Amino acid sequence: MDIFFQQIINGLVLGSMYALVALGYTMVYGIIGLINFAHGDVLMVGALTSWTVATLLAASGLPGWLILLISLVCAIVICATLNFTIEKVAYRPLRNAPRLAPLITAMGMSLLLQTLAMIIWKPNPKPYPLLLPTEPIDLGGPVISVTQIIILTATAVILAVLMFIVNRTRLGRAMRATAENPRVAALMGVRPDMVISATFIIGASLAAVAGVMWAANYGTVQHSMGFLPGLKAFTAAVLGGIGNLAGAVVGALLLGLVEALGAGYLGALTGGVLGSHYADIFAFIALVLVLTLRPQGLLGERVADRA
């Protein structure tokens, strides 16, 4: 039973990080119908930027939590600037092009970011500095680290703030109007280009936070680290219903739980034939089942028809 609850904790932590990335996918898709496959690599840039800043400040004598916070702010600024530039240079000129063109461009941008990161930061994995206490907290069997507590708390706060922005602010109303019909929104005084840029900036900021969380939790960074989290976050967005913010969160948490429980019990279920490193099987089997039985995702696809 202790293993079960431990895997539940691990799954919630993993799902929380997936949720932050999945929200970036689903926000962009909900507004302009684009799958930004470079989004996982924005997470990678955020993690590597944080690693650079944390390494430079390691000997400064500052508290670990302050170094982590400074590195997080730097990662958010770099990722937001990067995603804003990508949208303006690579995606905006193709906004009225056939859907295949921006999709291929997004894949090319992903490869470009990985290559540039490999050149700038070198291809070898790098240990992320230990900035927070590593002593686990005993919960009566299962344990949780300070880093995991911060991940769960920060994710809950960020999701609440994002929901408030989307549902209660002028920017959120402009996002919903642009998603409904950008031409009519423009006639009503909304600036669709500004709204789309803001969406990319918000998505990049969430990916940067997820990247720093990922690095702090797993203790290593490298140029290719964004591919798999990005793919799984996209899977989570589709699982919950891409275009639906709540669906992205539900799908991400469910995917994290399925993956963690699969890692904990896969060896026993297969008699030792498959180890925990095959846990991805469960995640994608769950996706196939959901899409077979409910193609629009768990909470339905909330994407408006455009005139």
Side-chain angles (χ1 to χ4, degrees), residues 19 22-23 26 163 233-255 296-302:
L23 284 168
T26 206
M163 292 299 179
F234 171 64
T235 302
V238 174
L239 187 66
I242 193 161
N244 186 314
L245 295 181
V249 176
V250 171
L253 293 176
L254 180 61
L255 191 66
Q296 69 271 36
L298 294 175
L299 299 188
E301 187 178 70
R302 192 174 295 169

PDB file of all heavy atoms in Angstrom, residues 19 22-23 26 163 233-255 296-302:
ATOM      1  N   ALA A  19       1.008  19.350 -16.923  1.00  0.00           N
ATOM      2  CA  ALA A  19      -0.125  20.268 -17.050  1.00  0.00           C
ATOM      3  C   ALA A  19       0.324  21.651 -17.500  1.00  0.00           C
ATOM      4  O   ALA A  19      -0.324  22.286 -18.341  1.00  0.00           O
ATOM      5  CB  ALA A  19      -0.878  20.360 -15.723  1.00  0.00           C
ATOM      6  N   ALA A  22       1.108  21.354 -21.155  1.00  0.00           N
ATOM      7  CA  ALA A  22      -0.108  21.063 -21.925  1.00  0.00           C
ATOM      8  C   ALA A  22      -0.980  22.303 -22.077  1.00  0.00           C
ATOM      9  O   ALA A  22      -1.637  22.489 -23.114  1.00  0.00           O
ATOM     10  CB  ALA A  22      -0.900  19.948 -21.242  1.00  0.00           C
ATOM     11  N   LEU A  23      -0.990  23.170 -21.073  1.00  0.00           N
ATOM     12  CA  LEU A  23      -1.784  24.394 -21.174  1.00  0.00           C
ATOM     13  C   LEU A  23      -1.276  25.291 -22.295  1.00  0.00           C
ATOM     14  O   LEU A  23      -2.051  25.954 -22.982  1.00  0.00           O
ATOM     15  CB  LEU A  23      -1.762  25.142 -19.840  1.00  0.00           C
ATOM     16  CG  LEU A  23      -2.646  24.542 -18.745  1.00  0.00           C
ATOM     17  CD1 LEU A  23      -2.328  25.175 -17.404  1.00  0.00           C
ATOM     18  CD2 LEU A  23      -4.115  24.734 -19.080  1.00  0.00           C
ATOM     19  N   THR A  26      -2.617  23.808 -25.538  1.00  0.00           N
ATOM     20  CA  THR A  26      -4.064  23.929 -25.728  1.00  0.00           C
ATOM     21  C   THR A  26      -4.494  25.377 -25.907  1.00  0.00           C
ATOM     22  O   THR A  26      -5.441  25.667 -26.635  1.00  0.00           O
ATOM     23  CB  THR A  26      -4.808  23.248 -24.551  1.00  0.00           C
ATOM     24  OG1 THR A  26      -6.095  22.835 -24.994  1.00  0.00           O
ATOM     25  CG2 THR A  26      -4.955  24.154 -23.355  1.00  0.00           C
ATOM     26  N   MET A 163      -6.502  30.532 -14.714  1.00  0.00           N
ATOM     27  CA  MET A 163      -7.953  30.463 -14.886  1.00  0.00           C
ATOM     28  C   MET A 163      -8.602  31.817 -14.615  1.00  0.00           C
ATOM     29  O   MET A 163      -9.557  32.221 -15.299  1.00  0.00           O
ATOM     30  CB  MET A 163      -8.548  29.396 -13.955  1.00  0.00           C
ATOM     31  CG  MET A 163      -8.156  27.973 -14.317  1.00  0.00           C
ATOM     32  SD  MET A 163      -8.726  27.511 -15.975  1.00  0.00           S
ATOM     33  CE  MET A 163      -8.088  25.836 -16.088  1.00  0.00           C
ATOM     34  N   ALA A 233       3.058  16.008 -22.889  1.00  0.00           N
ATOM     35  CA  ALA A 233       2.140  17.111 -22.594  1.00  0.00           C
ATOM     36  C   ALA A 233       1.135  17.299 -23.725  1.00  0.00           C
ATOM     37  O   ALA A 233      -0.043  17.559 -23.485  1.00  0.00           O
ATOM     38  CB  ALA A 233       2.924  18.396 -22.359  1.00  0.00           C
ATOM     39  N   PHE A 234       1.600  17.142 -24.961  1.00  0.00           N
ATOM     40  CA  PHE A 234       0.677  17.192 -26.109  1.00  0.00           C
ATOM     41  C   PHE A 234      -0.330  16.051 -26.016  1.00  0.00           C
ATOM     42  O   PHE A 234      -1.524  16.232 -26.259  1.00  0.00           O
ATOM     43  CB  PHE A 234       1.459  17.124 -27.412  1.00  0.00           C
ATOM     44  CG  PHE A 234       0.596  16.958 -28.626  1.00  0.00           C
ATOM     45  CD1 PHE A 234      -0.302  17.951 -28.993  1.00  0.00           C
ATOM     46  CD2 PHE A 234       0.664  15.801 -29.388  1.00  0.00           C
ATOM     47  CE1 PHE A 234      -1.108  17.798 -30.118  1.00  0.00           C
ATOM     48  CE2 PHE A 234      -0.130  15.640 -30.512  1.00  0.00           C
ATOM     49  CZ  PHE A 234      -1.028  16.640 -30.870  1.00  0.00           C
ATOM     50  N   THR A 235       0.161  14.866 -25.639  1.00  0.00           N
ATOM     51  CA  THR A 235      -0.721  13.716 -25.440  1.00  0.00           C
ATOM     52  C   THR A 235      -1.761  14.014 -24.369  1.00  0.00           C
ATOM     53  O   THR A 235      -2.948  13.691 -24.519  1.00  0.00           O
ATOM     54  CB  THR A 235       0.097  12.483 -25.044  1.00  0.00           C
ATOM     55  OG1 THR A 235       1.059  12.194 -26.054  1.00  0.00           O
ATOM     56  CG2 THR A 235      -0.787  11.273 -24.836  1.00  0.00           C
ATOM     57  N   ALA A 236      -1.318  14.664 -23.279  1.00  0.00           N
ATOM     58  CA  ALA A 236      -2.244  15.008 -22.196  1.00  0.00           C
ATOM     59  C   ALA A 236      -3.300  16.002 -22.672  1.00  0.00           C
ATOM     60  O   ALA A 236      -4.480  15.884 -22.318  1.00  0.00           O
ATOM     61  CB  ALA A 236      -1.463  15.601 -21.023  1.00  0.00           C
ATOM     62  N   ALA A 237      -2.888  16.981 -23.495  1.00  0.00           N
ATOM     63  CA  ALA A 237      -3.841  17.958 -24.017  1.00  0.00           C
ATOM     64  C   ALA A 237      -4.880  17.282 -24.902  1.00  0.00           C
ATOM     65  O   ALA A 237      -6.077  17.587 -24.824  1.00  0.00           O
ATOM     66  CB  ALA A 237      -3.098  19.044 -24.800  1.00  0.00           C
ATOM     67  N   VAL A 238      -4.441  16.347 -25.735  1.00  0.00           N
ATOM     68  CA  VAL A 238      -5.373  15.607 -26.591  1.00  0.00           C
ATOM     69  C   VAL A 238      -6.261  14.707 -25.740  1.00  0.00           C
ATOM     70  O   VAL A 238      -7.466  14.569 -25.983  1.00  0.00           O
ATOM     71  CB  VAL A 238      -4.599  14.778 -27.637  1.00  0.00           C
ATOM     72  CG1 VAL A 238      -5.548  13.896 -28.443  1.00  0.00           C
ATOM     73  CG2 VAL A 238      -3.820  15.699 -28.565  1.00  0.00           C
ATOM     74  N   LEU A 239      -5.673  14.097 -24.727  1.00  0.00           N
ATOM     75  CA  LEU A 239      -6.409  13.198 -23.841  1.00  0.00           C
ATOM     76  C   LEU A 239      -7.559  13.933 -23.156  1.00  0.00           C
ATOM     77  O   LEU A 239      -8.689  13.431 -23.068  1.00  0.00           O
ATOM     78  CB  LEU A 239      -5.453  12.611 -22.800  1.00  0.00           C
ATOM     79  CG  LEU A 239      -5.975  11.521 -21.879  1.00  0.00           C
ATOM     80  CD1 LEU A 239      -6.298  10.269 -22.668  1.00  0.00           C
ATOM     81  CD2 LEU A 239      -4.926  11.205 -20.798  1.00  0.00           C
ATOM     82  N   GLY A 240      -7.292  15.148 -22.672  1.00  0.00           N
ATOM     83  CA  GLY A 240      -8.338  15.902 -21.984  1.00  0.00           C
ATOM     84  C   GLY A 240      -9.283  16.613 -22.916  1.00  0.00           C
ATOM     85  O   GLY A 240     -10.393  16.971 -22.520  1.00  0.00           O
ATOM     86  N   GLY A 241      -8.872  16.847 -24.162  1.00  0.00           N
ATOM     87  CA  GLY A 241      -9.679  17.597 -25.119  1.00  0.00           C
ATOM     88  C   GLY A 241      -8.963  18.868 -25.494  1.00  0.00           C
ATOM     89  O   GLY A 241      -9.084  19.884 -24.795  1.00  0.00           O
ATOM     90  N   ILE A 242      -8.170  18.825 -26.552  1.00  0.00           N
ATOM     91  CA  ILE A 242      -7.310  19.971 -26.875  1.00  0.00           C
ATOM     92  C   ILE A 242      -8.166  21.187 -27.209  1.00  0.00           C
ATOM     93  O   ILE A 242      -9.173  21.098 -27.906  1.00  0.00           O
ATOM     94  CB  ILE A 242      -6.343  19.615 -28.019  1.00  0.00           C
ATOM     95  CG1 ILE A 242      -5.256  20.672 -28.140  1.00  0.00           C
ATOM     96  CG2 ILE A 242      -7.071  19.395 -29.328  1.00  0.00           C
ATOM     97  CD1 ILE A 242      -4.040  20.217 -28.902  1.00  0.00           C
ATOM     98  N   GLY A 243      -7.769  22.326 -26.685  1.00  0.00           N
ATOM     99  CA  GLY A 243      -8.570  23.532 -26.780  1.00  0.00           C
ATOM    100  C   GLY A 243      -9.334  23.812 -25.501  1.00  0.00           C
ATOM    101  O   GLY A 243      -9.914  24.884 -25.341  1.00  0.00           O
ATOM    102  N   ASN A 244      -9.311  22.869 -24.576  1.00  0.00           N
ATOM    103  CA  ASN A 244     -10.040  22.980 -23.313  1.00  0.00           C
ATOM    104  C   ASN A 244      -9.013  23.057 -22.173  1.00  0.00           C
ATOM    105  O   ASN A 244      -8.267  22.106 -21.950  1.00  0.00           O
ATOM    106  CB  ASN A 244     -10.955  21.761 -23.148  1.00  0.00           C
ATOM    107  CG  ASN A 244     -11.858  21.863 -21.936  1.00  0.00           C
ATOM    108  OD1 ASN A 244     -11.413  22.211 -20.864  1.00  0.00           O
ATOM    109  ND2 ASN A 244     -13.125  21.541 -22.132  1.00  0.00           N
ATOM    110  N   LEU A 245      -8.954  24.186 -21.457  1.00  0.00           N
ATOM    111  CA  LEU A 245      -7.946  24.376 -20.418  1.00  0.00           C
ATOM    112  C   LEU A 245      -8.102  23.361 -19.282  1.00  0.00           C
ATOM    113  O   LEU A 245      -7.133  22.741 -18.852  1.00  0.00           O
ATOM    114  CB  LEU A 245      -8.031  25.795 -19.859  1.00  0.00           C
ATOM    115  CG  LEU A 245      -7.690  26.939 -20.825  1.00  0.00           C
ATOM    116  CD1 LEU A 245      -7.804  28.275 -20.114  1.00  0.00           C
ATOM    117  CD2 LEU A 245      -6.298  26.761 -21.409  1.00  0.00           C
ATOM    118  N   ALA A 246      -9.330  23.189 -18.805  1.00  0.00           N
ATOM    119  CA  ALA A 246      -9.562  22.215 -17.739  1.00  0.00           C
ATOM    120  C   ALA A 246      -9.234  20.807 -18.218  1.00  0.00           C
ATOM    121  O   ALA A 246      -8.681  19.992 -17.469  1.00  0.00           O
ATOM    122  CB  ALA A 246     -11.007  22.288 -17.262  1.00  0.00           C
ATOM    123  N   GLY A 247      -9.551  20.518 -19.482  1.00  0.00           N
ATOM    124  CA  GLY A 247      -9.241  19.204 -20.044  1.00  0.00           C
ATOM    125  C   GLY A 247      -7.750  18.945 -20.072  1.00  0.00           C
ATOM    126  O   GLY A 247      -7.295  17.826 -19.822  1.00  0.00           O
ATOM    127  N   ALA A 248      -6.947  19.981 -20.382  1.00  0.00           N
ATOM    128  CA  ALA A 248      -5.491  19.819 -20.407  1.00  0.00           C
ATOM    129  C   ALA A 248      -4.966  19.446 -19.025  1.00  0.00           C
ATOM    130  O   ALA A 248      -4.095  18.578 -18.890  1.00  0.00           O
ATOM    131  CB  ALA A 248      -4.839  21.108 -20.899  1.00  0.00           C
ATOM    132  N   VAL A 249      -5.503  20.076 -17.998  1.00  0.00           N
ATOM    133  CA  VAL A 249      -5.060  19.791 -16.628  1.00  0.00           C
ATOM    134  C   VAL A 249      -5.473  18.377 -16.223  1.00  0.00           C
ATOM    135  O   VAL A 249      -4.669  17.607 -15.687  1.00  0.00           O
ATOM    136  CB  VAL A 249      -5.640  20.828 -15.647  1.00  0.00           C
ATOM    137  CG1 VAL A 249      -5.266  20.469 -14.211  1.00  0.00           C
ATOM    138  CG2 VAL A 249      -5.139  22.220 -15.997  1.00  0.00           C
ATOM    139  N   VAL A 250      -6.734  18.022 -16.489  1.00  0.00           N
ATOM    140  CA  VAL A 250      -7.224  16.682 -16.144  1.00  0.00           C
ATOM    141  C   VAL A 250      -6.431  15.618 -16.894  1.00  0.00           C
ATOM    142  O   VAL A 250      -6.000  14.609 -16.322  1.00  0.00           O
ATOM    143  CB  VAL A 250      -8.724  16.560 -16.450  1.00  0.00           C
ATOM    144  CG1 VAL A 250      -9.190  15.111 -16.310  1.00  0.00           C
ATOM    145  CG2 VAL A 250      -9.527  17.454 -15.518  1.00  0.00           C
ATOM    146  N   GLY A 251      -6.225  15.838 -18.182  1.00  0.00           N
ATOM    147  CA  GLY A 251      -5.467  14.878 -18.979  1.00  0.00           C
ATOM    148  C   GLY A 251      -4.036  14.726 -18.485  1.00  0.00           C
ATOM    149  O   GLY A 251      -3.505  13.614 -18.445  1.00  0.00           O
ATOM    150  N   ALA A 252      -3.404  15.837 -18.101  1.00  0.00           N
ATOM    151  CA  ALA A 252      -2.023  15.791 -17.623  1.00  0.00           C
ATOM    152  C   ALA A 252      -1.919  15.034 -16.298  1.00  0.00           C
ATOM    153  O   ALA A 252      -1.028  14.197 -16.119  1.00  0.00           O
ATOM    154  CB  ALA A 252      -1.480  17.209 -17.462  1.00  0.00           C
ATOM    155  N   LEU A 253      -2.816  15.328 -15.370  1.00  0.00           N
ATOM    156  CA  LEU A 253      -2.782  14.630 -14.086  1.00  0.00           C
ATOM    157  C   LEU A 253      -3.062  13.141 -14.262  1.00  0.00           C
ATOM    158  O   LEU A 253      -2.407  12.290 -13.639  1.00  0.00           O
ATOM    159  CB  LEU A 253      -3.792  15.253 -13.118  1.00  0.00           C
ATOM    160  CG  LEU A 253      -3.487  16.679 -12.660  1.00  0.00           C
ATOM    161  CD1 LEU A 253      -4.624  17.219 -11.789  1.00  0.00           C
ATOM    162  CD2 LEU A 253      -2.164  16.748 -11.904  1.00  0.00           C
ATOM    163  N   LEU A 254      -4.024  12.821 -15.114  1.00  0.00           N
ATOM    164  CA  LEU A 254      -4.340  11.420 -15.373  1.00  0.00           C
ATOM    165  C   LEU A 254      -3.151  10.712 -16.014  1.00  0.00           C
ATOM    166  O   LEU A 254      -2.798   9.591 -15.622  1.00  0.00           O
ATOM    167  CB  LEU A 254      -5.566  11.322 -16.271  1.00  0.00           C
ATOM    168  CG  LEU A 254      -6.030   9.909 -16.641  1.00  0.00           C
ATOM    169  CD1 LEU A 254      -6.407   9.135 -15.385  1.00  0.00           C
ATOM    170  CD2 LEU A 254      -7.220   9.967 -17.602  1.00  0.00           C
ATOM    171  N   LEU A 255      -2.511  11.367 -16.964  1.00  0.00           N
ATOM    172  CA  LEU A 255      -1.357  10.775 -17.625  1.00  0.00           C
ATOM    173  C   LEU A 255      -0.212  10.555 -16.643  1.00  0.00           C
ATOM    174  O   LEU A 255       0.450   9.513 -16.654  1.00  0.00           O
ATOM    175  CB  LEU A 255      -0.899  11.677 -18.775  1.00  0.00           C
ATOM    176  CG  LEU A 255       0.136  11.093 -19.726  1.00  0.00           C
ATOM    177  CD1 LEU A 255      -0.443   9.921 -20.500  1.00  0.00           C
ATOM    178  CD2 LEU A 255       0.633  12.166 -20.693  1.00  0.00           C
ATOM    179  N   GLN A 296     -13.086  13.200 -29.028  1.00  0.00           N
ATOM    180  CA  GLN A 296     -12.941  14.603 -28.682  1.00  0.00           C
ATOM    181  C   GLN A 296     -12.202  14.807 -27.360  1.00  0.00           C
ATOM    182  O   GLN A 296     -12.009  15.934 -26.918  1.00  0.00           O
ATOM    183  CB  GLN A 296     -14.302  15.304 -28.624  1.00  0.00           C
ATOM    184  CG  GLN A 296     -15.200  14.877 -27.469  1.00  0.00           C
ATOM    185  CD  GLN A 296     -16.080  13.698 -27.831  1.00  0.00           C
ATOM    186  OE1 GLN A 296     -15.670  12.811 -28.571  1.00  0.00           O
ATOM    187  NE2 GLN A 296     -17.297  13.693 -27.321  1.00  0.00           N
ATOM    188  N   GLY A 297     -11.787  13.719 -26.708  1.00  0.00           N
ATOM    189  CA  GLY A 297     -11.103  13.845 -25.422  1.00  0.00           C
ATOM    190  C   GLY A 297     -12.070  13.724 -24.262  1.00  0.00           C
ATOM    191  O   GLY A 297     -13.293  13.717 -24.433  1.00  0.00           O
ATOM    192  N   LEU A 298     -11.521  13.643 -23.054  1.00  0.00           N
ATOM    193  CA  LEU A 298     -12.337  13.392 -21.876  1.00  0.00           C
ATOM    194  C   LEU A 298     -13.363  14.480 -21.612  1.00  0.00           C
ATOM    195  O   LEU A 298     -14.512  14.214 -21.276  1.00  0.00           O
ATOM    196  CB  LEU A 298     -11.433  13.227 -20.640  1.00  0.00           C
ATOM    197  CG  LEU A 298     -10.523  11.989 -20.644  1.00  0.00           C
ATOM    198  CD1 LEU A 298      -9.601  12.022 -19.444  1.00  0.00           C
ATOM    199  CD2 LEU A 298     -11.359  10.709 -20.629  1.00  0.00           C
ATOM    200  N   LEU A 299     -12.953  15.746 -21.755  1.00  0.00           N
ATOM    201  CA  LEU A 299     -13.860  16.847 -21.467  1.00  0.00           C
ATOM    202  C   LEU A 299     -14.370  17.545 -22.710  1.00  0.00           C
ATOM    203  O   LEU A 299     -14.982  18.602 -22.632  1.00  0.00           O
ATOM    204  CB  LEU A 299     -13.171  17.888 -20.559  1.00  0.00           C
ATOM    205  CG  LEU A 299     -12.723  17.381 -19.192  1.00  0.00           C
ATOM    206  CD1 LEU A 299     -12.250  18.537 -18.317  1.00  0.00           C
ATOM    207  CD2 LEU A 299     -13.833  16.618 -18.486  1.00  0.00           C
ATOM    208  N   GLY A 300     -14.104  16.946 -23.869  1.00  0.00           N
ATOM    209  CA  GLY A 300     -14.624  17.514 -25.107  1.00  0.00           C
ATOM    210  C   GLY A 300     -13.731  18.608 -25.630  1.00  0.00           C
ATOM    211  O   GLY A 300     -13.022  19.288 -24.890  1.00  0.00           O
ATOM    212  N   GLU A 301     -13.778  18.802 -26.910  1.00  0.00           N
ATOM    213  CA  GLU A 301     -12.950  19.800 -27.581  1.00  0.00           C
ATOM    214  C   GLU A 301     -13.691  21.118 -27.617  1.00  0.00           C
ATOM    215  O   GLU A 301     -14.751  21.246 -28.229  1.00  0.00           O
ATOM    216  CB  GLU A 301     -12.630  19.349 -29.011  1.00  0.00           C
ATOM    217  CG  GLU A 301     -11.631  20.248 -29.722  1.00  0.00           C
ATOM    218  CD  GLU A 301     -11.329  19.727 -31.115  1.00  0.00           C
ATOM    219  OE1 GLU A 301     -12.235  19.813 -31.955  1.00  0.00           O
ATOM    220  OE2 GLU A 301     -10.218  19.221 -31.332  1.00  0.00           O
ATOM    221  N   ARG A 302     -13.152  22.118 -26.959  1.00  0.00           N
ATOM    222  CA  ARG A 302     -13.822  23.412 -26.890  1.00  0.00           C
ATOM    223  C   ARG A 302     -13.145  24.383 -27.858  1.00  0.00           C
ATOM    224  O   ARG A 302     -12.412  25.293 -27.482  1.00  0.00           O
ATOM    225  CB  ARG A 302     -13.754  23.966 -25.463  1.00  0.00           C
ATOM    226  CG  ARG A 302     -14.649  25.147 -25.236  1.00  0.00           C
ATOM    227  CD  ARG A 302     -14.640  25.559 -23.780  1.00  0.00           C
ATOM    228  NE  ARG A 302     -15.206  24.537 -22.932  1.00  0.00           N
ATOM    229  CZ  ARG A 302     -15.130  24.557 -21.602  1.00  0.00           C
ATOM    230  NH1 ARG A 302     -14.492  25.514 -20.984  1.00  0.00           N
ATOM    231  NH2 ARG A 302     -15.672  23.584 -20.887  1.00  0.00           N
TER     232      ARG A 302
END
